[in-house]
């Protein structure tokens, strides 16, 4: 598109990094903030910069955190004997919002996908095996997604649990699978 402003063209192009935002939506957003909400746009820019600079991954469960160990891992209100394995921080959030699960998490940050270079080490299975060997976890709950890769990942997780002598939790008894499927479905349409 042609505008009189190279900065505006750059802004429109940059907005397209957001999921589901094509060129039309990006144009609409850029014109909207310049015409009507410069304060909101400035706040957004600041929050984005802060989040990108400061949020890393929890050294214990690998979810997003600006602390070395996240609040869920340090909370004494959570049952340390229960560990739920999810693929991504979004899946973790879906479980937190949709269920009464009160244990802790381990976030793979992916799923087994050899074609994408994601093997057991890349998705943290070494760290998970080590965690199970510590003996605190009494029950492992596998909540990977019902895709081919998610099922292959679940299979390997079950082997790791068996090797560590940790029983697998019931089929997500804490979890309303309909709600979760809905959350996952939305995520998949975005990606
Ligand atoms: Zn954590």
């Amino acid at each position: 598109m042609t505008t009189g402003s190279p900065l505006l063209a750059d802004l429109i192009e940059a907005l397209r990094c957001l999921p589901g935002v094509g060129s039309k939506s990006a144009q609409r957003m850029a014109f909207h903030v310049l015409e009507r909400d410069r304060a909101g746009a400035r706040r957004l820019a600041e929050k984005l910069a802060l989040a990108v600079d400061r949020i890393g991954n929890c050294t214990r469960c690998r979810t997003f955190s600006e602390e070395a160990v996240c609040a869920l891992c340090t909370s004494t209100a959570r049952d340390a004997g229960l560990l739920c394995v999810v693929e991504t921080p979004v899946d973790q959030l879906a479980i937190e919002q949709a269920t009464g699960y009160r244990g802790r998490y381990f976030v793979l940050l992916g799923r087994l996908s050899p074609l994408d270079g994601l093997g057991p080490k890349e998705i943290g299975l070494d760290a998970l095996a080590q965690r199970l060997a510590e003996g605190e976890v009494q029950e492992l709950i596998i909540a990977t997604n019902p895709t081919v890769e998610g099922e292959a990942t679940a299979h390997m997780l079950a082997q790791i649990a068996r090797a560590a002598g940790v029983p697998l939790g019931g089929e997500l008894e804490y979890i309303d699978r309909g709600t979760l499927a809905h959350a996952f479905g939305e995520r998949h349409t975005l990606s």
Side-chain angles (χ1 to χ4, degrees):
M1 76 165 257
T2 308
T3 75
S5 163
L7 283 179
L8 178 53
D10 287 351
L11 171 60
I12 291 166
E13 184 55 35
L15 283 165
R16 295 188 60 188
C17 82
L18 295 169
V21 175
S23 54
K24 284 277 180 238
S25 305
Q27 283 174 28
R28 212 160 39 238
M29 290 176 185
F31 284 113
H32 171 83
V33 296
L34 289 173
E35 287 172 22
R36 297 168 198 272
D37 197 3
R38 292 189 181 218
R42 186 173 296 283
R43 193 164 61 245
L44 173 62
E46 288 166 1
K47 296 299 178 195
L48 273 176
L50 269 180
V52 170
D53 287 345
R54 299 224 189 132
I55 298 176
N57 295 95
C58 172
T59 53
R60 191 140 175 84
C61 75
R62 295 166 45 108
T63 199
F64 292 140
S65 174
E66 54 263 46
E67 309 294 340
V69 179
C70 77
L72 276 177
C73 283
T74 51
S75 168
T76 51
R78 309 292 296 209
D79 183 347
L82 285 176
L83 191 67
C84 178
V85 183
V86 295
E87 292 182 13
T88 68
V90 175
D91 299 336
Q92 180 192 23
L93 183 65
I95 292 174
E96 282 295 295
Q97 290 177 338
T99 76
Y101 178 69
R102 298 301 298 163
R104 292 192 171 145
Y105 293 92
F106 188 87
V107 183
L108 300 170
L109 300 176
R111 63 207 68 90
L112 282 181
S113 181
L115 290 179
D116 300 319
L118 291 179
K121 191 170 166 48
E122 285 71 29
I123 62 170
L125 297 189
D126 298 4
L128 179 64
Q130 205 176 343
R131 172 107 176 237
L132 295 185
E134 290 170 9
E136 191 176 42
V137 175
Q138 302 301 311
E139 190 176 321
L140 191 75
I141 298 159
I142 298 174
T144 52
N145 292 334
T147 59
V148 173
E149 290 170 343
E151 297 294 348
T153 307
H155 185 70
M156 186 165 281
L157 289 167
Q159 286 179 329
I160 290 171
R162 205 174 305 125
V166 175
L168 293 181
E171 182 74 6
L172 302 181
E173 53 195 290
Y174 311 90
I175 292 169
D176 172 349
R177 290 178 71 83
T179 311
L180 263 195
H182 181 65
F184 290 145
E186 281 182 350
R187 185 172 62 100
H188 287 150
T189 57
L190 288 176
S191 59

